[in-house]
Amino acid sequence: MTATAPITTDSSGPSAAVVDVTPDLARLWLRDNTHNRKLRERAVNDYARDMAAGHWALNGEAIKFATDGTVLDGQHRLHAVVKAGVTVSMLVVTGLPPSAQDTMDSGRKRTTGDVMGLRNEANAPTLAAILRRVWLWNQGNHRLKGRETPTTAECAALLAAHPELRRSAEIATRVRNVFPHIPQSVLGTAHHLFNTIDPDLTAVFFQRLADGAELPLGHPILALRARVTSERLDNVRMSEDRHLAYLIRTWNAVRDGRDLGRLVHNSSSPMPTPK
């Protein structure tokens, strides 16, 4: 189907076709986006990144038009085509009654964890959480906070580039099962970061973090275990970035061969960098 003008339909009922939607065509169709929910810039940015990276898939989700040509569903995808400046193949459905808009987008969104599970990935929810946080770290967001998060396609691409993240998820799950005081998502993120520096030391580090065996007084991992255990027993609400800072400070002390009598990280301090 080729479309060069706003959508118009006859009264014969809905019809569907695959259309190569160019930025110019998307702009044209958006002129008829006169009755829709408030635009969410974050969704537009997420879609645009996937489109620009070539990760956008023709998956059966349609741009939907009413019988009078009004855009009923798909405004975020159309805005993303414009923002990305690329042509994207999309299913287009026309000839819908305007009242059909009431029931659109009412289903539960499929999460990255859901997708990893459908791919039969082990530890799927944990793996998805680690992928999101490693992606944020790679973007320079070392506190793992903020509104921007990776799309499922970006997480999948990260896993394809770093399949060793599966091992990070496995280790995080194992450690959490025996030492339940640090979130699995943070454990896995730290494991990945440390493993890129020194795989052998990383293996020992997480084994000792889990079991606490043979740690002499003053050992950094002993200080870490004591700190997070004490804060959990005191019902202190610990943010993920604080947990990560504790892990990195401990790692750096182990790498330097330094003792740590007490582990401290001020919330206003910058996130340390593993070395």
Side-chain angles (χ1 to χ4, degrees), residues 54-66:
H55 295 155
W56 193 261
L58 181 62
N59 63 1
E61 294 182 3
I63 306 295
K64 301 164 190 164
F65 292 87

Side-chain angles (χ1 to χ4, degrees), residues 105-181:
D105 295 319
S106 57
R108 180 176 177 269
K109 182 180 179 181
R110 185 168 291 166
T111 67
T112 300
D114 293 334
V115 172
M116 293 297 152
L118 290 169
R119 294 183 176 188
N120 295 317
E121 294 284 357
N123 309 299
T126 297
L127 177 60
I130 293 167
L131 287 167
R132 289 192 293 270
R133 285 152 183 80
V134 171
W135 186 90
L136 288 170
W137 181 278
N138 291 345
Q139 300 300 309
N141 184 350
H142 293 174
R143 290 192 177 275
L144 313 181
K145 296 179 179 178
R147 293 178 57 84
E148 186 176 44
T149 57
T151 66
T152 294
E154 286 170 327
C155 286
L158 178 61
L159 182 60
H162 296 281
E164 69 275 10
L165 281 161
R166 295 183 176 92
R167 178 66 174 169
S168 294
E170 179 186 348
I171 295 299
T173 300
R174 289 183 182 180
V175 173
R176 175 76 176 183
N177 284 340
V178 295
F179 187 69
H181 303 312

Side-chain angles (χ1 to χ4, degrees), residues 31-43:
R31 294 178 187 174
D32 290 320
N33 184 38
T34 57
H35 187 264
N36 223 315
R37 56 184 168 169
K38 183 178 179 181
L39 193 72
R40 293 172 293 140
E41 288 295 334
R42 176 177 167 181

Side-chain angles (χ1 to χ4, degrees), residues 1-213:
M1 174 179 173
T2 301
T4 58
I7 292 290
T8 57
T9 62
D10 56 33
S11 58
S12 60
S15 61
V18 175
V19 179
D20 289 334
V21 182
T22 66
D24 286 343
L25 182 56
R27 289 189 190 93
L28 187 64
W29 285 352
L30 283 169
R31 294 178 187 174
D32 290 320
N33 184 38
T34 57
H35 187 264
N36 223 315
R37 56 184 168 169
K38 183 178 179 181
L39 193 72
R40 293 172 293 140
E41 288 295 334
R42 176 177 167 181
V44 173
N45 292 335
D46 287 350
Y47 294 165
R49 291 199 312 273
D50 279 349
M51 291 174 181
H55 295 155
W56 193 261
L58 181 62
N59 63 1
E61 294 182 3
I63 306 295
K64 301 164 190 164
F65 292 87
T67 50
D68 62 359
T70 303
V71 176
L72 297 179
D73 188 33
Q75 62 165 341
H76 290 91
R77 283 165 281 166
L78 293 175
H79 277 284
V81 168
V82 174
K83 186 177 183 68
V86 297
T87 298
V88 178
S89 294
M90 294 184 178
L91 180 65
V92 175
V93 175
T94 61
L96 294 168
S99 60
Q101 191 177 48
D102 295 345
T103 58
M104 293 176 184
D105 295 319
S106 57
R108 180 176 177 269
K109 182 180 179 181
R110 185 168 291 166
T111 67
T112 300
D114 293 334
V115 172
M116 293 297 152
L118 290 169
R119 294 183 176 188
N120 295 317
E121 294 284 357
N123 309 299
T126 297
L127 177 60
I130 293 167
L131 287 167
R132 289 192 293 270
R133 285 152 183 80
V134 171
W135 186 90
L136 288 170
W137 181 278
N138 291 345
Q139 300 300 309
N141 184 350
H142 293 174
R143 290 192 177 275
L144 313 181
K145 296 179 179 178
R147 293 178 57 84
E148 186 176 44
T149 57
T151 66
T152 294
E154 286 170 327
C155 286
L158 178 61
L159 182 60
H162 296 281
E164 69 275 10
L165 281 161
R166 295 183 176 92
R167 178 66 174 169
S168 294
E170 179 186 348
I171 295 299
T173 300
R174 289 183 182 180
V175 173
R176 175 76 176 183
N177 284 340
V178 295
F179 187 69
H181 303 312
I182 302 175
Q184 290 169 219
S185 56
V186 180
L187 287 168
T189 301
H191 182 274
H192 172 73
L193 297 176
F194 302 166
N195 199 58
T196 61
I197 298 170
D198 188 333
D200 292 337
L201 182 58
T202 298
V204 175
F205 182 96
F206 280 89
Q207 182 61 49
R208 295 290 80 83
L209 177 59
D211 60 26

